[in-house]
Amino acid sequence: MNSVSTVRQEIEAVVQRFVTLANTGSLEAFADLYTVDALIMMPGMEAVGGRDGAMIFGERIRSRRPARLVLVTQEVEVEGDGAWERGTSEWVRPDGQVVDRGKYIVIWKRTESGWKLRRDIMNSDVRLVRG
């Protein structure tokens, strides 16, 4: 069994791949980071599931360009073939201006091909203005 610090390093490596693929990479490779039974719950949209849901989420991330996504892992806990991660997010413009900050929790599943996102929820710290 892997130690918590080893699992954290493995998950952080997947998080960095997630950020790279979300910002500039292949949507298909991005969707492959999720389990087939994934559930993704993001601000301003209904929950989406599986590979198709991951593709929708990836497209949504790209719609925020030229801002890029930055994620930082704050905490990881492991139990058997599962883990959860808590982290922070920022959307950063090319000039360095942060246009949105938030937080997220991911429930991870260890698979034969490594750690994959099974449940993913992100919330913005920016208050929505309702008209």
Side-chain angles (χ1 to χ4, degrees), residues 7-113:
V7 171
R8 181 177 175 137
Q9 290 173 351
E10 292 169 353
I11 286 174
E12 286 179 329
V14 178
V15 169
Q16 289 311 307
R17 181 160 169 73
F18 178 102
V19 168
T20 299
L21 291 169
N23 287 323
T24 61
S26 154
L27 282 176
E28 292 80 15
F30 177 81
D32 285 342
L33 297 174
Y34 285 87
T35 62
V36 295
D37 66 342
L39 184 64
I40 305 163
M41 299 166 280
M42 299 298 121
M45 66 184 274
E46 292 186 22
V48 294
R51 181 178 172 82
D52 290 341
M55 295 283 284
I56 291 167
F57 176 45
E59 290 170 355
R60 171 118 186 230
I61 290 172
R62 293 192 177 177
S63 74
R64 296 195 73 170
R65 288 180 182 168
R68 64 183 169 79
L69 178 63
V70 177
L71 300 177
V72 177
T73 299
Q74 300 294 320
E75 181 179 17
V76 172
E77 290 210 13
V78 182
E79 187 167 326
D81 286 339
W84 63 264
E85 171 203 12
R86 178 183 63 84
T88 58
S89 63
E90 289 185 336
W91 291 95
V92 183
R93 288 191 180 149
D95 65 3
Q97 179 186 7
V98 176
V99 294
D100 194 357
R101 282 192 170 86
K103 62 262 182 204
Y104 67 91
I105 290 184
V106 172
I107 298 173
W108 293 86
K109 182 177 182 179
R110 187 189 330 248
T111 69
E112 290 180 6
S113 58

Side-chain angles (χ1 to χ4, degrees), residues 108-125:
W108 293 86
K109 182 177 182 179
R110 187 189 330 248
T111 69
E112 290 180 6
S113 58
W115 287 99
K116 292 191 179 261
L117 295 92
R118 184 160 185 260
R119 299 290 185 264
D120 189 359
I121 185 166
M122 181 182 290
N123 295 288
S124 175
D125 292 340

